[in-house]
Short mmCIF file of all heavy atoms in Angstrom, two decimals:
data_model
loop_
_atom_site.label_atom_id
_atom_site.label_comp_id
_atom_site.label_asym_id
_atom_site.label_seq_id
_atom_site.Cartn_x
_atom_site.Cartn_y
_atom_site.Cartn_z
N GLN A 26 -10.38 -64.40 47.42
CA GLN A 26 -11.03 -63.20 46.87
C GLN A 26 -11.88 -62.58 47.94
O GLN A 26 -12.71 -63.16 48.59
CB GLN A 26 -11.86 -63.52 45.66
CG GLN A 26 -11.08 -63.89 44.41
CD GLN A 26 -12.02 -64.42 43.32
OE1 GLN A 26 -13.19 -64.83 43.63
NE2 GLN A 26 -11.51 -64.49 42.05
N GLN A 27 -11.62 -61.18 48.17
CA GLN A 27 -12.51 -60.46 49.08
C GLN A 27 -12.42 -60.91 50.50
O GLN A 27 -13.34 -60.63 51.33
CB GLN A 27 -13.87 -60.29 48.57
CG GLN A 27 -13.99 -59.62 47.22
CD GLN A 27 -15.44 -59.51 46.76
OE1 GLN A 27 -16.17 -60.49 46.90
NE2 GLN A 27 -15.76 -58.42 46.08
N LEU A 28 -11.32 -61.57 50.89
CA LEU A 28 -11.13 -62.04 52.29
C LEU A 28 -9.83 -61.45 52.83
O LEU A 28 -8.92 -61.12 52.10
CB LEU A 28 -11.08 -63.55 52.32
CG LEU A 28 -12.30 -64.36 51.89
CD1 LEU A 28 -11.96 -65.81 51.97
CD2 LEU A 28 -13.50 -64.02 52.81
N SER A 29 -9.79 -61.34 54.13
CA SER A 29 -8.47 -60.96 54.78
C SER A 29 -7.58 -62.16 54.63
O SER A 29 -7.88 -63.24 54.35
CB SER A 29 -8.75 -60.73 56.25
OG SER A 29 -9.05 -61.91 56.93
N GLY A 30 -6.23 -61.78 54.77
CA GLY A 30 -5.26 -62.80 54.50
C GLY A 30 -5.40 -63.99 55.52
O GLY A 30 -5.27 -65.14 55.05
N SER A 31 -5.71 -63.74 56.72
CA SER A 31 -5.80 -64.81 57.74
C SER A 31 -7.08 -65.68 57.42
O SER A 31 -7.03 -66.90 57.55
CB SER A 31 -5.95 -64.21 59.14
OG SER A 31 -7.09 -63.30 59.26
N ALA A 32 -8.13 -65.03 57.03
CA ALA A 32 -9.43 -65.78 56.73
C ALA A 32 -9.16 -66.64 55.43
O ALA A 32 -9.58 -67.79 55.39
CB ALA A 32 -10.55 -64.85 56.53
N ALA A 33 -8.51 -66.03 54.49
CA ALA A 33 -8.18 -66.81 53.31
C ALA A 33 -7.37 -67.98 53.56
O ALA A 33 -7.54 -69.16 52.96
CB ALA A 33 -7.46 -65.83 52.27
N ASP A 34 -6.31 -67.81 54.28
CA ASP A 34 -5.40 -68.93 54.61
C ASP A 34 -6.14 -70.03 55.44
O ASP A 34 -5.94 -71.23 55.13
CB ASP A 34 -4.23 -68.44 55.51
CG ASP A 34 -3.32 -67.49 54.81
OD1 ASP A 34 -3.28 -67.58 53.50
OD2 ASP A 34 -2.50 -66.84 55.49
N LYS A 35 -7.04 -69.65 56.26
CA LYS A 35 -7.78 -70.64 57.04
C LYS A 35 -8.68 -71.50 56.17
O LYS A 35 -8.78 -72.71 56.35
CB LYS A 35 -8.61 -69.94 58.11
CG LYS A 35 -9.38 -70.91 59.04
CD LYS A 35 -10.13 -70.06 60.11
CE LYS A 35 -10.94 -71.02 61.01
NZ LYS A 35 -11.61 -70.22 62.08
N ILE A 36 -9.43 -70.78 55.25
CA ILE A 36 -10.36 -71.58 54.38
C ILE A 36 -9.61 -72.41 53.41
O ILE A 36 -10.05 -73.45 53.09
CB ILE A 36 -11.30 -70.53 53.74
CG1 ILE A 36 -12.17 -69.81 54.75
CG2 ILE A 36 -12.13 -71.26 52.68
CD1 ILE A 36 -13.14 -68.79 54.21
N TYR A 37 -8.50 -71.89 52.92
CA TYR A 37 -7.69 -72.70 51.92
C TYR A 37 -7.14 -73.84 52.56
O TYR A 37 -7.19 -74.98 51.95
CB TYR A 37 -6.60 -71.86 51.31
CG TYR A 37 -5.79 -72.45 50.29
CD1 TYR A 37 -6.42 -73.00 49.06
CD2 TYR A 37 -4.44 -72.70 50.37
CE1 TYR A 37 -5.66 -73.60 48.11
CE2 TYR A 37 -3.72 -73.29 49.39
CZ TYR A 37 -4.29 -73.70 48.31
OH TYR A 37 -3.58 -74.35 47.25
N SER A 38 -6.69 -73.78 53.76
CA SER A 38 -6.17 -74.94 54.48
C SER A 38 -7.21 -76.03 54.77
O SER A 38 -7.02 -77.20 54.59
CB SER A 38 -5.55 -74.41 55.91
OG SER A 38 -4.36 -73.67 55.62
N ARG A 39 -8.44 -75.43 55.09
CA ARG A 39 -9.59 -76.33 55.36
C ARG A 39 -9.95 -77.10 53.99
O ARG A 39 -10.27 -78.30 54.05
CB ARG A 39 -10.76 -75.57 55.85
CG ARG A 39 -12.01 -76.42 56.18
CD ARG A 39 -13.24 -75.53 56.39
NE ARG A 39 -12.98 -74.58 57.43
CZ ARG A 39 -13.60 -73.39 57.47
NH1 ARG A 39 -14.51 -73.08 56.51
NH2 ARG A 39 -13.33 -72.57 58.45
N PHE A 40 -9.87 -76.38 52.92
CA PHE A 40 -10.25 -76.94 51.53
C PHE A 40 -9.17 -78.01 51.26
O PHE A 40 -9.64 -79.16 50.94
CB PHE A 40 -10.08 -75.81 50.54
CG PHE A 40 -10.18 -76.27 49.12
CD1 PHE A 40 -11.43 -76.62 48.56
CD2 PHE A 40 -9.04 -76.34 48.33
CE1 PHE A 40 -11.43 -77.02 47.21
CE2 PHE A 40 -9.14 -76.71 46.95
CZ PHE A 40 -10.31 -77.06 46.41
N LYS A 41 -7.92 -77.86 51.47
CA LYS A 41 -6.96 -78.91 51.22
C LYS A 41 -7.07 -80.06 52.18
O LYS A 41 -7.01 -81.23 51.75
CB LYS A 41 -5.54 -78.31 51.31
CG LYS A 41 -5.20 -77.37 50.20
CD LYS A 41 -3.79 -76.97 50.19
CE LYS A 41 -3.36 -76.27 51.45
NZ LYS A 41 -1.91 -75.93 51.55
N ASP A 42 -7.28 -79.72 53.47
CA ASP A 42 -7.36 -80.78 54.45
C ASP A 42 -8.58 -81.67 54.29
O ASP A 42 -8.49 -82.92 54.33
CB ASP A 42 -7.33 -80.22 55.87
CG ASP A 42 -5.99 -79.54 56.24
OD1 ASP A 42 -4.99 -79.86 55.47
OD2 ASP A 42 -6.00 -78.77 57.20
N THR A 43 -9.67 -81.03 54.03
CA THR A 43 -10.94 -81.78 53.88
C THR A 43 -10.90 -82.75 52.64
O THR A 43 -11.45 -83.82 52.71
CB THR A 43 -12.10 -80.73 53.68
OG1 THR A 43 -12.19 -79.86 54.80
CG2 THR A 43 -13.47 -81.52 53.49
N LEU A 44 -10.24 -82.21 51.58
CA LEU A 44 -10.24 -83.03 50.38
C LEU A 44 -8.91 -83.78 50.22
O LEU A 44 -8.65 -84.47 49.16
CB LEU A 44 -10.38 -82.07 49.15
CG LEU A 44 -11.69 -81.25 49.15
CD1 LEU A 44 -11.68 -80.22 48.02
CD2 LEU A 44 -12.99 -82.15 49.10
N ASN A 45 -8.10 -83.78 51.24
CA ASN A 45 -6.80 -84.59 51.26
C ASN A 45 -5.94 -84.20 50.07
O ASN A 45 -5.42 -85.07 49.40
CB ASN A 45 -7.08 -86.08 51.25
CG ASN A 45 -7.78 -86.55 52.52
OD1 ASN A 45 -7.40 -86.16 53.62
ND2 ASN A 45 -8.82 -87.29 52.37
N LEU A 46 -5.79 -82.88 49.85
CA LEU A 46 -4.99 -82.37 48.76
C LEU A 46 -3.54 -82.01 49.23
O LEU A 46 -3.36 -81.48 50.29
CB LEU A 46 -5.68 -81.17 48.15
CG LEU A 46 -7.06 -81.43 47.48
CD1 LEU A 46 -7.66 -80.12 47.08
CD2 LEU A 46 -6.90 -82.30 46.23
N LYS A 47 -2.61 -82.32 48.33
CA LYS A 47 -1.27 -81.82 48.64
C LYS A 47 -1.16 -80.38 48.28
O LYS A 47 -2.04 -79.81 47.64
CB LYS A 47 -0.27 -82.65 47.82
CG LYS A 47 -0.28 -84.10 48.07
CD LYS A 47 0.75 -84.84 47.18
CE LYS A 47 0.86 -86.27 47.54
NZ LYS A 47 1.80 -87.03 46.68
N HIS A 48 -0.06 -79.71 48.69
CA HIS A 48 0.12 -78.29 48.42
C HIS A 48 0.09 -77.94 46.95
O HIS A 48 -0.52 -76.93 46.54
CB HIS A 48 1.46 -77.87 48.95
CG HIS A 48 1.84 -76.47 48.57
ND1 HIS A 48 1.19 -75.38 49.07
CD2 HIS A 48 2.84 -75.98 47.85
CE1 HIS A 48 1.67 -74.26 48.61
NE2 HIS A 48 2.68 -74.57 47.80
N ASN A 49 0.70 -78.82 46.10
CA ASN A 49 0.75 -78.59 44.65
C ASN A 49 -0.17 -79.50 43.91
O ASN A 49 0.17 -80.09 42.95
CB ASN A 49 2.16 -78.74 44.17
CG ASN A 49 2.67 -80.16 44.47
OD1 ASN A 49 2.27 -80.80 45.39
ND2 ASN A 49 3.74 -80.49 43.67
N PHE A 50 -1.47 -79.50 44.36
CA PHE A 50 -2.47 -80.38 43.67
C PHE A 50 -2.71 -79.80 42.32
O PHE A 50 -2.45 -78.66 41.95
CB PHE A 50 -3.77 -80.37 44.42
CG PHE A 50 -4.41 -79.04 44.69
CD1 PHE A 50 -5.36 -78.61 43.82
CD2 PHE A 50 -4.17 -78.33 45.82
CE1 PHE A 50 -5.99 -77.37 43.98
CE2 PHE A 50 -4.81 -77.18 46.01
CZ PHE A 50 -5.71 -76.67 45.07
N ARG A 51 -3.20 -80.76 41.44
CA ARG A 51 -3.52 -80.46 40.01
C ARG A 51 -5.00 -80.58 39.76
O ARG A 51 -5.78 -81.15 40.54
CB ARG A 51 -2.69 -81.39 39.14
CG ARG A 51 -1.22 -81.28 39.38
CD ARG A 51 -0.42 -82.00 38.34
NE ARG A 51 1.04 -81.97 38.59
CZ ARG A 51 1.95 -82.11 37.60
NH1 ARG A 51 1.57 -82.27 36.36
NH2 ARG A 51 3.26 -82.13 37.91
N ALA A 52 -5.33 -80.11 38.55
CA ALA A 52 -6.73 -80.18 38.15
C ALA A 52 -7.37 -81.59 38.21
O ALA A 52 -8.39 -81.87 38.62
CB ALA A 52 -6.88 -79.59 36.71
N GLU A 53 -6.46 -82.62 37.83
CA GLU A 53 -6.89 -83.98 37.81
C GLU A 53 -7.30 -84.49 39.18
O GLU A 53 -8.12 -85.41 39.35
CB GLU A 53 -5.81 -84.83 37.25
CG GLU A 53 -5.57 -84.68 35.79
CD GLU A 53 -4.71 -83.45 35.41
OE1 GLU A 53 -4.22 -82.76 36.43
OE2 GLU A 53 -4.54 -83.12 34.24
N ASN A 54 -6.67 -83.87 40.25
CA ASN A 54 -6.98 -84.23 41.59
C ASN A 54 -8.36 -83.85 42.07
O ASN A 54 -8.84 -84.35 43.09
CB ASN A 54 -5.90 -83.67 42.62
CG ASN A 54 -4.51 -84.13 42.31
OD1 ASN A 54 -3.61 -83.29 42.20
ND2 ASN A 54 -4.37 -85.46 42.17
N LEU A 55 -8.96 -82.96 41.29
CA LEU A 55 -10.37 -82.43 41.64
C LEU A 55 -11.37 -82.99 40.62
O LEU A 55 -12.55 -82.54 40.62
CB LEU A 55 -10.36 -80.97 41.58
CG LEU A 55 -9.40 -80.14 42.39
CD1 LEU A 55 -9.69 -78.71 42.36
CD2 LEU A 55 -9.31 -80.67 43.85
N LYS A 56 -11.00 -84.02 39.89
CA LYS A 56 -11.76 -84.53 38.79
C LYS A 56 -13.20 -84.92 39.23
O LYS A 56 -14.20 -84.71 38.45
CB LYS A 56 -11.13 -85.68 38.14
CG LYS A 56 -11.74 -86.09 36.77
CD LYS A 56 -10.79 -87.07 36.07
CE LYS A 56 -11.35 -87.33 34.56
NZ LYS A 56 -10.44 -88.32 33.88
N SER A 57 -13.33 -85.57 40.36
CA SER A 57 -14.67 -85.98 40.86
C SER A 57 -15.27 -85.02 41.85
O SER A 57 -16.33 -85.28 42.39
CB SER A 57 -14.50 -87.39 41.42
OG SER A 57 -13.70 -87.35 42.63
N LEU A 58 -14.66 -83.88 42.01
CA LEU A 58 -15.16 -82.94 43.06
C LEU A 58 -16.47 -82.25 42.62
O LEU A 58 -16.69 -81.96 41.44
CB LEU A 58 -14.09 -81.83 43.35
CG LEU A 58 -14.31 -80.90 44.45
CD1 LEU A 58 -14.22 -81.64 45.77
CD2 LEU A 58 -13.21 -79.85 44.44
N THR A 59 -17.38 -82.08 43.52
CA THR A 59 -18.64 -81.41 43.24
C THR A 59 -18.70 -80.05 43.83
O THR A 59 -18.00 -79.69 44.81
CB THR A 59 -19.82 -82.28 43.78
OG1 THR A 59 -19.74 -82.24 45.21
CG2 THR A 59 -19.77 -83.72 43.29
N GLN A 60 -19.62 -79.28 43.38
CA GLN A 60 -19.88 -77.92 43.92
C GLN A 60 -20.22 -77.95 45.37
O GLN A 60 -19.73 -77.16 46.25
CB GLN A 60 -20.92 -77.19 43.16
CG GLN A 60 -21.13 -75.76 43.54
CD GLN A 60 -22.09 -75.06 42.63
OE1 GLN A 60 -22.16 -75.42 41.44
NE2 GLN A 60 -22.85 -74.02 43.15
N LEU A 61 -20.99 -78.98 45.80
CA LEU A 61 -21.43 -79.14 47.25
C LEU A 61 -20.20 -79.46 48.10
O LEU A 61 -20.10 -78.84 49.22
CB LEU A 61 -22.45 -80.22 47.34
CG LEU A 61 -22.99 -80.44 48.81
CD1 LEU A 61 -23.60 -79.16 49.42
CD2 LEU A 61 -23.96 -81.64 48.79
N GLN A 62 -19.28 -80.23 47.60
CA GLN A 62 -18.09 -80.52 48.44
C GLN A 62 -17.31 -79.26 48.72
O GLN A 62 -16.75 -79.09 49.75
CB GLN A 62 -17.26 -81.61 47.69
CG GLN A 62 -17.89 -83.01 47.78
CD GLN A 62 -17.00 -83.98 47.03
OE1 GLN A 62 -16.89 -83.80 45.76
NE2 GLN A 62 -16.43 -84.98 47.67
N ILE A 63 -17.22 -78.45 47.67
CA ILE A 63 -16.44 -77.21 47.82
C ILE A 63 -17.23 -76.26 48.79
O ILE A 63 -16.61 -75.64 49.72
CB ILE A 63 -16.25 -76.56 46.45
CG1 ILE A 63 -15.44 -77.40 45.53
CG2 ILE A 63 -15.49 -75.17 46.67
CD1 ILE A 63 -15.25 -76.86 44.14
N ARG A 64 -18.51 -76.17 48.67
CA ARG A 64 -19.31 -75.32 49.50
C ARG A 64 -19.14 -75.76 50.96
O ARG A 64 -19.13 -74.90 51.85
CB ARG A 64 -20.75 -75.44 49.11
CG ARG A 64 -21.18 -74.75 47.84
CD ARG A 64 -21.23 -73.21 47.99
NE ARG A 64 -22.33 -72.85 48.90
CZ ARG A 64 -22.25 -72.22 50.06
NH1 ARG A 64 -21.00 -71.89 50.56
NH2 ARG A 64 -23.25 -71.90 50.72
N ASN A 65 -19.03 -77.03 51.19
CA ASN A 65 -18.96 -77.62 52.59
C ASN A 65 -17.61 -77.23 53.22
O ASN A 65 -17.43 -77.41 54.42
CB ASN A 65 -19.05 -79.11 52.61
CG ASN A 65 -20.52 -79.57 52.35
OD1 ASN A 65 -21.41 -78.76 52.52
ND2 ASN A 65 -20.68 -80.77 51.90
N CYS A 66 -16.67 -76.62 52.44
CA CYS A 66 -15.40 -76.13 53.00
C CYS A 66 -15.47 -74.68 53.38
O CYS A 66 -14.45 -74.11 53.85
CB CYS A 66 -14.24 -76.36 51.93
SG CYS A 66 -13.91 -78.02 51.55
N GLY A 67 -16.70 -74.15 53.28
CA GLY A 67 -16.90 -72.77 53.61
C GLY A 67 -16.61 -71.76 52.50
O GLY A 67 -16.30 -70.61 52.71
N ILE A 68 -16.63 -72.30 51.32
CA ILE A 68 -16.43 -71.45 50.07
C ILE A 68 -17.71 -71.20 49.37
O ILE A 68 -18.58 -71.91 49.29
CB ILE A 68 -15.42 -72.25 49.14
CG1 ILE A 68 -14.15 -72.52 49.88
CG2 ILE A 68 -15.22 -71.54 47.83
CD1 ILE A 68 -13.19 -73.47 49.13
N SER A 69 -17.81 -69.94 48.88
CA SER A 69 -19.10 -69.49 48.33
C SER A 69 -19.44 -70.24 47.05
O SER A 69 -18.54 -70.80 46.35
CB SER A 69 -19.04 -68.00 47.91
OG SER A 69 -18.13 -67.74 46.94
N ASN A 70 -20.70 -70.23 46.67
CA ASN A 70 -21.09 -70.83 45.35
C ASN A 70 -20.39 -70.32 44.16
O ASN A 70 -20.02 -70.99 43.25
CB ASN A 70 -22.66 -70.64 45.17
CG ASN A 70 -23.51 -71.73 45.83
OD1 ASN A 70 -23.16 -72.90 45.77
ND2 ASN A 70 -24.59 -71.31 46.35
N SER A 71 -20.19 -68.96 44.10
CA SER A 71 -19.64 -68.41 42.94
C SER A 71 -18.09 -68.79 42.82
O SER A 71 -17.68 -69.11 41.71
CB SER A 71 -19.69 -66.82 43.04
OG SER A 71 -19.05 -66.35 44.19
N LYS A 72 -17.44 -68.92 44.00
CA LYS A 72 -16.07 -69.32 43.96
C LYS A 72 -15.96 -70.86 43.60
O LYS A 72 -15.09 -71.25 42.87
CB LYS A 72 -15.39 -69.07 45.34
CG LYS A 72 -15.10 -67.58 45.57
CD LYS A 72 -14.55 -67.42 46.95
CE LYS A 72 -14.38 -65.93 47.27
NZ LYS A 72 -13.74 -65.75 48.61
N ALA A 73 -16.89 -71.59 44.13
CA ALA A 73 -16.95 -73.09 43.76
C ALA A 73 -17.10 -73.22 42.28
O ALA A 73 -16.44 -74.10 41.66
CB ALA A 73 -18.10 -73.71 44.57
#
């Protein structure tokens, strides 16, 4: 949201890589995820 395509792709890739997520991850794969962990991927509080 509100990012250029290249910036969005970069942050989304960082999100998946940091959390060891596959391309087609599911909600259950994020079950223990915290807001801080998402923020540490460069994602805003509101998006987290």
Side-chain angles (χ1 to χ4, degrees):
Q26 290 169 342
Q27 299 180 319
L28 296 175
S29 67
S31 58
D34 290 343
K35 182 177 180 180
I36 294 174
Y37 183 58
S38 293
R39 184 191 304 151
F40 173 76
K41 290 189 298 178
D42 292 344
T43 301
L44 302 174
N45 295 313
L46 296 171
K47 296 180 179 179
H48 173 67
N49 57 338
F50 60 88
R51 301 192 183 202
E53 292 79 4
N54 300 128
L55 307 187
K56 194 169 184 178
S57 61
L58 191 64
T59 66
Q60 186 173 329
L61 179 59
Q62 286 175 298
I63 300 176
R64 288 285 293 118
N65 288 339
C66 296
I68 297 169
S69 70
N70 271 321
S71 60
K72 292 180 183 180

